[in-house]
Amino acid sequence: QVQLVESGGGLVQPGGSLRLSCAASGTISRVNTMKWYRQTPGKQRELVASITSGGSTNYADSVKGRFTISRDNAKNTVYLQMNSLKSEDTAVYYCNALILDTKRYERSYWGQGTQVTVPS
């Protein structure tokens, strides 16, 4: 069994910073691409950032220059450092990871979501 557990959400004033963490655990053989999504009620889930196992990154235009995705392969953990936060960043943030388990079955997994709130 594999699971992703997120942490680090909270309420931050505009211009503030927050770091989200997402740790994968279980019968893991390899963690491939890891991603952060966010979702606001009434809006589709949006891809915020992604990082490959080799460290190649991509960002949504709305967060470029403000957010940084990184990973610690030894800990099977992905991070999202969020700086210069705006009210538009308010959302539930979800971690997603493509994982090959020890039975050589590969699929994506979702974290439980963590709320980030930035008042206007």
Side-chain angles (χ1 to χ4, degrees):
Q1 291 185 314
V2 175
Q3 67 175 169
L4 303 181
V5 179
E6 302 179 32
S7 62
L11 189 151
V12 186
Q13 295 301 308
S17 298
L18 209 58
R19 189 178 80 156
L20 307 183
S21 299
C22 174
S25 62
T27 54
I28 296 169
S29 179
R30 180 181 178 86
V31 180
N32 294 309
T33 300
M34 305 184 82
K35 303 176 180 179
W36 287 99
Y37 289 81
R38 65 187 182 187
Q39 187 164 29
T40 301
K43 190 176 182 180
Q44 288 188 320
R45 188 167 295 185
E46 172 190 23
L47 177 61
V48 176
S50 66
I51 184 167
T52 68
S53 60
S56 180
T57 60
N58 283 287
Y59 299 91
D61 288 342
S62 59
V63 307
K64 284 181 180 177
R66 300 188 298 119
F67 290 11
T68 302
I69 188 170
S70 61
R71 64 191 289 163
D72 184 337
N73 290 332
K75 297 180 179 179
N76 289 330
T77 299
V78 64
Y79 306 94
L80 186 67
Q81 178 66 48
M82 303 183 293
N83 299 325
S84 302
L85 283 162
K86 308 172 181 179
S87 60
E88 303 95 280
D89 297 316
T90 295
V92 177
Y93 284 71
Y94 295 92
C95 175
N96 177 273
L98 181 62
I99 295 174
L100 178 70
D101 67 20
T102 54
K103 293 187 176 182
R104 299 206 265 191
Y105 176 62
E106 187 177 62
R107 77 168 184 90
S108 64
Y109 295 82
W110 288 96
Q112 81 279 12
T114 184
Q115 176 71 46
V116 172
T117 302
V118 186
S120 58

